[in-house]
């Protein structure tokens, strides 16, 4: 629970950045932390009270008066979708948040929440990468396309798994493709996601500064359909049916 405070400190020192960025934050997971010693287990909370408290706290910590998008971080098995939906609609009406998204939701989770909201659910943040590719065939991406829901891909480099020795053949292919276009392997892995017509937005979490410096090259990479499938087949470990 330190990132928003640190980010808010930055924005206070450089307020001109506000107009150049969109601020997206999450709520609903209550972590075990020394800041909340009363908690005995990590759990989810999509109650109106917790959502409102989380938004007010985020606004305070980041020294802002508006969050562009608020995400519910995980599906909550105890969610009262009428209560949650009404709270989210009210936050949009108040101007505290601009839109609502979700994270790790399946299509049915989105449908039940959307049924209790007047504002559209704008995005879903799910795990998508060369090593986490189920979303291409299990309906998650197709549903988002049907409903015009923006997709964010968390862990687009598979948590660094793409660079593990166990995936050497795939990494070598990424590196070879990148070498032909003067880019590194990580940029090619991101370009593979960007090539999809759903407009997938990778959420980069790497702390490797050298890798961060080269990730923008993904936008320069030409990824034709055949190359996309070459990488997909290697990720699957077998040819497509």
């Amino acid at each position: 629970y330190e990132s928003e405070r640190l980010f808010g400190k930055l924005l206070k020192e450089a307020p001109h950045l506000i107009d150049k960025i969109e601020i997206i934050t999450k709520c609903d997971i209550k972590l075990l932390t020394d800041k909340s010693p009363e908690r005995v287990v990590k759990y989810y909370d999509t109650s109106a009270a917790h959502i409102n408290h989380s938004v007010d706290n985020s606004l305070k910590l980041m020294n802002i008066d508006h969050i562009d998008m608020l995400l519910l971080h995980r599906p909550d098995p105890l969610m009262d979708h009428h209560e949650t939906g009404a709270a989210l609609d009210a936050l949009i009406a108040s101007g505290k948040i601009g839109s609502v998204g979700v994270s790790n939701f399946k299509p049915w989770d989105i449908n039940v929440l959307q049924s209790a909201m007047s504002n559209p659910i704008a995005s879903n943040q799910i795990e998508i990468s060369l090593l986490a590719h189920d979303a291409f065939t299990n309906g998650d991406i197709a549903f988002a396309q049907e409903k015009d829901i923006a997709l964010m891909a968390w862990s687009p480099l598979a948590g660094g798994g793409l660079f593990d020795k166990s995936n050497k053949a795939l990494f070598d292919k990424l590196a070879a493709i990148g070498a032909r276009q003067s880019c590194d392997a990580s940029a090619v892995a991101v370009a593979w996601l960007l090539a999809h017509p759903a407009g997938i937005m990778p959420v980069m979490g790497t702390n490797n500064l050298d890798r961060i410096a080269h990730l923008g090259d993904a936008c320069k990479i030409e990824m034709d359909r055949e190359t996309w499938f070459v990488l997909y087949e290697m990720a699957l470990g077998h040819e497509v049916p």
Side-chain angles (χ1 to χ4, degrees), residues 5-140:
R5 182 186 66 81
L6 293 171
F7 192 62
K9 182 179 179 181
L10 169 68
L11 292 178
K12 190 173 183 179
E13 295 175 357
H16 64 282
L17 293 177
I18 286 286
D19 295 330
K20 299 182 179 181
I21 60 176
E22 292 186 14
I23 294 179
I24 301 173
T25 192
K26 297 177 178 177
C27 70
D28 105 18
I29 298 181
K30 288 188 170 181
L31 298 172
L32 289 174
T33 169
D34 56 7
K35 295 185 178 182
S36 298
E38 73 282 1
R39 294 179 192 164
V40 297
V41 66
K42 179 177 76 173
Y43 65 99
Y44 308 146
D45 189 345
T46 53
S47 66
H50 179 65
I51 291 171
N52 286 319
H53 172 75
S54 294
V55 168
D56 288 340
N57 195 49
S58 292
L59 292 172
K60 179 181 178 181
L61 287 172
M62 289 189 282
N63 296 300
I64 55 177
D65 57 15
H66 177 79
I67 293 167
D68 292 293
M69 184 181 291
L70 177 73
L71 306 184
L72 297 184
H73 201 156
R74 291 276 178 181
D76 174 12
L78 289 179
M79 181 178 72
D80 179 336
H81 63 293
H82 294 293
E83 176 185 351
T84 302
L88 294 169
D89 278 337
L91 283 167
I92 292 176
S94 73
K96 290 183 178 180
I97 66 175
S99 61
V100 168
V102 293
S103 182
N104 304 296
F105 273 45
K106 301 301 289 183
W108 49 85
D109 298 314
I110 294 174
N111 278 337
V112 71
L113 179 58
Q114 186 65 82
S115 72
M117 292 184 64
S118 58
N119 291 283
I121 293 174
S123 71
N124 190 15
Q125 185 178 122
I126 58 177
E127 184 178 13
I128 319 174
S129 72
L130 273 163
L131 298 185
H133 43 67
D134 289 350
F136 291 103
T137 55
N138 68 6
D140 288 344

Side-chain angles (χ1 to χ4, degrees), residues 116-187:
M117 292 184 64
S118 58
N119 291 283
I121 293 174
S123 71
N124 190 15
Q125 185 178 122
I126 58 177
E127 184 178 13
I128 319 174
S129 72
L130 273 163
L131 298 185
H133 43 67
D134 289 350
F136 291 103
T137 55
N138 68 6
D140 288 344
I141 291 177
F143 178 82
Q145 289 177 288
E146 176 192 355
K147 301 297 183 182
D148 198 26
I149 294 173
L151 281 169
M152 302 181 202
W154 62 263
S155 200
L157 300 179
L162 286 173
F163 315 107
D164 189 88
K165 292 181 180 179
S166 61
N167 297 303
K168 184 178 185 304
L170 178 56
F171 175 81
D172 287 347
K173 176 59 70 173
L174 290 167
I177 293 170
R180 292 195 293 269
Q181 302 189 47
S182 301
C183 298
D184 71 4
S186 58

